[in-house]
Amino acid sequence: MNFSTRLLPAKLPQKSSGFPLLHPRLFHLPPNYTTTNTNFTPVVGLEIHAQLKNNTKLFSASDPRFDQNVNSNLSLFDIAIPGSMPVLNKNVLYKAAKTVISLKGSIQQETDFQRKHYFYPDQPLGYQITQQNKPIGIGGHLILGKFDGLNYERKIRIKQIQIEQDTAKTINDTNPIYDLIDYNRSGAALLEIVTEPDIRSAEEATLFLKKIILVLQTIESSKALMEEGSLRCDVNVSLDFNFSDSENKLNSNSLESFKKGPRVEIKNLNSLRSVTNAIESEIQRQISVLFDGGEISSETRSYDVIAKQTKSSRTKESKPDYRFMPEADIPTIHLSHKWIENIKKELPEFPDDKKNRLSDQYGLSIDDINVLYKIPTIIDFFEKVCSLGICPKEAYFWISGEIFRLINYHKPNFTENIPITPQEFGSLLKSIENSDLTSSMVKKILITRFDGDKKTIPEIISINGWNLIDNKLDLIALCKDIINNNPKQVEKYKSTKNNRLLGFFVGKVIAESKGNAKPQIVSEIIKQLLK
Amino acid sequence: MLSLSKFCSSKGIKTTLTTNLNKKSNFTFRFHSTLENGVKLYQNNIKELQFQPQEFINDLSNFITLKNKRVNAVISQRKKDFILKGISKEFPSDTCKNPDSELQYKNKYTSSMTSNENLGTSSQKNINSRNPGLLMFIKDNIATTNEYTTCSSKSLENYLSPYDATVVELLEKSGAVILGKTNMDEFGMGSTSTKSVFGPVKHQMNTSDGKNLLNIISSHSADNLLNPKVISSIENDRHVQDRCAGGSSGGSAVAVASRFCNAALGSDTGGSVRLPAAWTGVVGFKPSYGKCSRHGLIAYANSLDTIGILAESVETTKREYYVTELSESVLNAWKDVADILESMGATVTQASLPNTKYGLSTYYTIISAEASSNMSRYDGIRYGHRSSGVGLDIDGHDAGSKYANTRSEGLGSEVKRRIILGNYVLSLGAYDDYYTQALKMRQLILRDFNNVFSLANPLDWALEELDSLPDENVLFNDSGVDLILMPTSVSTSPILSDNESNTKDTDSVHEYVNDAMTVPTSLAGVPTICVPVGISAKDGFPIGLQLAGQYGDDELVLEVANLLQKKLFDASKYQGLFGSDNQLSLVPKSLY
């Protein structure tokens, strides 16, 4: 990605004389702004909110799913009825702990909940129950590298992982007089993952998000779908002002040499694209401010998708004091060693480990693996097919080709559940190998299955009459007919032995057999007959 | 500061005390008419064949309506039809049509009955003979579906709870009859029961009632002339003044003291059950924190809130408790009661809880912080008072003024004072200086209690990953004590007008001092009972003392309090003079 063209402010003439760009990812000011070498490094951190996959909410027994009738699934506590009490959902702790371990963080054996106070209609209690000083997870990291399409490695550290309540949903565009509130989401369990400011570009931020989404989906702690709001993201962007040694800093996690500018927070980003665009436009904006001789102020901004710009929503001066205090209705939670160890045993294989193994075990390239990972559930299918003795290359070829084509055609019906078992698919591939079926027959069988035909494979074959003509005598008779009906071509073939003419006869026979003859065998017979 | 009674072996005392009780007790009352005297002392095993529910409830209702005009303790009476339905319910056949589930229900019910023999409010016998169960009032900050649950606040003026509190559900299931809701300080914030949108609760006695009482004693007792204390106090007669009932569960206390009911539920955050109990002369029990379900108790300071019981006797309290699972005169009383306990076989020693002197400031820091948080849900959006003219077109920035109008109209001045205090102690600049210090102080006070009690606090070791119970030397400290005896209040009930002038003042610190004796055990979360021990020779008003035990040791607290109360009635020589007096019938007539 060429950063020099994408990130420089529009009004700055590129390559202004005497100040060449030292590094594609760095920026510099015109000579009248500072005296010496003036390179910026973007410093980006993320706050990710993922809704935990659960049948009940964090502190009540109501259903947290997002697609239900408005205000239809509420418990007393969800709307802060006086005297109602929170009851902690144990499964939330389990899924949060799983996430902490998967991101290489450490689980805090003593963890508690705090109240964060602010008035807003989407917050029925007048405070959010969240974690502050004793979150469930501290530390951890993800490494971006070759599997993510980077030609270098970037370790992004995680500061903490905490559990908190989701808010209700305010709807302010359907009624001109009133704002409407849907409390269905109120009190659903969220996991907030806060990174250290280790991200150096919009690209890295997007890759990191993609990777964390994959992890959350693999361990089934969240659906992590940005389009349905089960994963949302806030970004913090600032520029580094310490201009020495910029080159090294890009490759180092140490923040000691950094002299960060004021931090700007962009809230509520709900797609990968808006994360990328918001970060890029914010970096550009901050540089422009500096160019104009202005000062960057520490503030909260929002991203306007249409204008592709961030705009100020709250300055630091008006920043609320949340008056954190312990939530006395939920005692401090003590997690035992045994419980934590048990979770470690139950964890599935992590994506990078799995990719490494796929590459070693099946000889797939990184590109092949990443193609399969476009539909993560397919990996399991692929491995099961291979375990039946099918050549991995052949299995990969069919899955990435025909199966993906059909899944995409029928999207989103089969992304979770392919309508054919690995056993059935494996036996189809074997039939091709054994010359029992042709490739085009298998394609037709797959299409039938994806169209919703629930019959068994043999039934589909027999109903459609897709059996290969086993009987050689029948085939010979068929070939003889074709030869007799095309004397000219026979003449020509006999004199030239042209293979294209051989193909002509084979094609005719296959067409006559309605695809039920195998080309290799037909070709042999024709050769014999015309010898 | 505190004296305390030590029982080397609780088994030992039990035997000594029970023998004392074999003497014929004076602890009986001769009530003839419900209409004149209110409810009778609850007695589990008496079979009353002549009982007419309809007539009884009518009489009781009229009695309450008449008397309540003066004391203002009850703010809503349950409809007679509902009460009668509760009394005459044939348990449980009409609720279960399916014979299988009926059988299951019956089995469940009877097994829960037999598992706890003390669950006496409604033995099967009682229901069959159609005796009323325990007659009860509920403090208005405990959710009930049959009447409004207002917390005596304008902000919840017309609030009807969609559910019954767990305690109420359990009580009704066990046969208790709920008569209505009682007045209180708004959201429990106060110790006088004067800060209510329904007006102040008044003590069931006024100053002249106290004088009359002392008069009766001095005129009937042979040795009255030898008692200069009594003589001097009667001579100092002044004009009639109302007295304060104490709070915040003042309505519940006065309802019991006025014989509206056998027992009433209150809530105790820093003494809200015990202080009014002491001042009105009834029993007030605060169980260990968390022992009674708080589901349905509208939160004031949720790390201290406890459902408490106000009752006519320890015996009744005990029943209740199992069902829910759930000046100078004062100094004299304290000494005398310590002596009585010693005579009953207890060993009395002095103990000091050095950090409890910081209890009051610790308490007010913590409760104002928690109150500010718990009050924040009263925004008028989903329920409760909403400022007229407040629409809901709230878009972030100007939402503030709309909340402000609703809340400044709906909440009273004491509540606002505590919200502002709480917001201050939780703000970034003040947090470490106030709130953090208060939390530390609370731990020190808790440690004081743990050092004094012989039984280890179960919460200390329950969190460890243990395969078996800890060693005996971890659980018991030989030099410790079993119970602590201390005053509930520094004086008897103050004159009401004094308090009213205080509330009009911006300075309410004077009132906060009322809680000084009760907050330490609240901060520690330990079970504490206030038992009426007698009357002050100065003004004829009742005095109560508290007995506190280690966390979870509620049974011992109740048992000893029960024995103590019976002993006090036996020992009070003027008891016989007051057979039908319903204003102070529950207090042993000993003078201090």
Side-chain angles (χ1 to χ4, degrees), chain A residues 318-333:
Chain A
S318 60
K319 198 182 157 197
D321 180 349
Y322 290 121
R323 308 188 309 277
F324 280 96
M325 67 172 265
E327 171 53 277
D329 291 341
I330 303 152
T332 303
I333 297 144

Side-chain angles (χ1 to χ4, degrees), chain A residues 483 489-490 493-494 497 501-502 505 524-531:
Chain A
I483 288 170
Q489 281 79 356
V490 173
Y493 178 79
K494 277 186 174 168
K497 294 284 179 197
L501 274 172
L502 185 65
F505 291 115
E524 281 307 305
I525 295 168
I526 303 274
K527 269 187 196 165
Q528 290 288 330
L529 288 172
L530 297 180
K531 212 187 267 177

Side-chain angles (χ1 to χ4, degrees), chain B residues 165-176 293 323-326:
Chain B
T166 306
V167 280
V168 173
E169 227 169 63
L170 287 169
L171 280 174
E172 289 199 309
K173 213 176 257 178
S174 74
S293 166
V323 168
T324 53
E325 263 249 280
L326 319 185

Side-chain angles (χ1 to χ4, degrees), chain A residues 76-85 109 114-115 117 119-127 133 170 172 176-181 183 313-314 320-330 332 334-338, chain B residues 143 156 159 161-163 289 294-299 302-303 366 369-370 372-379 381-383 386 391-397 399 403 407 422-424 426-429 431 435 439 463 465:
Chain A
L76 298 172
F77 189 71
D78 301 340
I79 47 173
I81 291 293
S84 57
M85 288 285 163
Q109 285 193 272
Q114 300 268 322
R115 292 179 177 183
H117 297 90
F119 284 115
Y120 207 76
D122 66 8
Q123 189 66 267
L125 288 162
Y127 52 84
N133 296 327
T170 43
N172 35 30
I177 303 163
Y178 294 107
D179 281 359
L180 304 174
I181 309 172
Y183 286 102
S313 53
R314 194 168 70 202
D321 180 349
Y322 290 121
R323 308 188 309 277
F324 280 96
M325 67 172 265
E327 171 53 277
D329 291 341
I330 303 152
T332 303
H334 297 258
L335 301 171
S336 71
H337 263 300
K338 213 169 132 192
Chain B
L156 287 178
Y159 173 68
S161 172
Y163 70 107
Y289 172 75
R294 280 188 295 129
H295 178 71
L297 169 64
I298 295 179
N302 50 317
S303 79
I366 291 175
E370 293 184 8
S372 74
S373 174
N374 289 324
M375 291 302 114
S376 53
R377 69 184 59 179
Y378 303 106
D379 53 18
I381 292 180
R382 297 162 306 281
Y383 45 76
R386 185 192 292 175
L392 278 183
D393 50 335
I394 293 162
D395 54 356
H397 294 290
Y403 280 103
R407 289 166 62 76
N423 281 345
Y424 175 69
L426 287 177
S427 65
L428 275 180
Y431 193 93
Y435 190 64
L439 291 183
L463 294 170
E465 287 177 46

Side-chain angles (χ1 to χ4, degrees), chain A residues 389-516:
Chain A
I390 306 296
C391 162
K393 292 268 174 203
E394 196 66 20
Y396 170 77
F397 172 79
W398 274 90
I399 289 171
S400 65
E402 208 53 33
I403 299 269
F404 271 30
R405 195 181 65 74
L406 287 166
I407 287 175
N408 285 333
Y409 181 77
H410 289 281
K411 215 169 188 176
N413 296 355
F414 301 121
T415 36
E416 299 267 320
N417 230 334
I418 310 162
I420 183 166
T421 65
Q423 287 72 20
E424 289 172 327
F425 188 65
S427 70
L428 284 176
L429 296 189
K430 262 191 190 147
S431 306
I432 298 174
E433 210 179 304
N434 301 340
S435 303
D436 293 335
L437 290 172
T438 65
S439 302
S440 63
M441 282 176 186
V442 170
K443 281 180 192 172
K444 279 192 266 184
I445 291 164
L446 288 177
I447 290 169
T448 318
R449 254 302 164 84
F450 273 77
D451 281 342
D453 197 329
K454 297 247 167 61
K455 293 187 199 75
T456 61
I457 302 283
E459 278 169 1
I460 292 173
I461 293 172
S462 70
I463 284 169
N464 292 289
W466 289 331
N467 272 321
L468 275 183
I469 299 168
D470 290 339
N471 190 336
K472 257 195 169 166
L473 289 176
D474 290 353
L475 262 187
I476 291 168
L478 198 61
C479 292
K480 275 182 178 166
D481 280 355
I482 297 295
I483 288 170
N484 292 337
N485 292 340
N486 297 286
K488 265 191 202 164
Q489 281 79 356
V490 173
E491 280 300 296
K492 216 171 184 179
Y493 178 79
K494 277 186 174 168
S495 60
T496 61
K497 294 284 179 197
N498 187 339
N499 271 341
R500 271 175 63 197
L501 274 172
L502 185 65
F504 165 80
F505 291 115
V506 174
K508 282 267 179 195
V509 174
I510 301 271
E512 195 69 18
S513 75
K514 294 186 179 107
N516 287 352

Side-chain angles (χ1 to χ4, degrees), chain B residues 507-545:
Chain B
D507 177 18
S508 53
V509 173
H510 182 73
E511 190 197 320
Y512 291 177
V513 175
N514 286 338
D515 299 336
M517 295 293 169
T518 49
V519 294
T521 58
S522 284
L523 288 167
V526 298
T528 315
I529 192 164
C530 172
V531 180
V533 296
I535 47 184
S536 159
K538 257 189 172 165
D539 55 9
F541 272 72
I543 294 172
L545 291 180

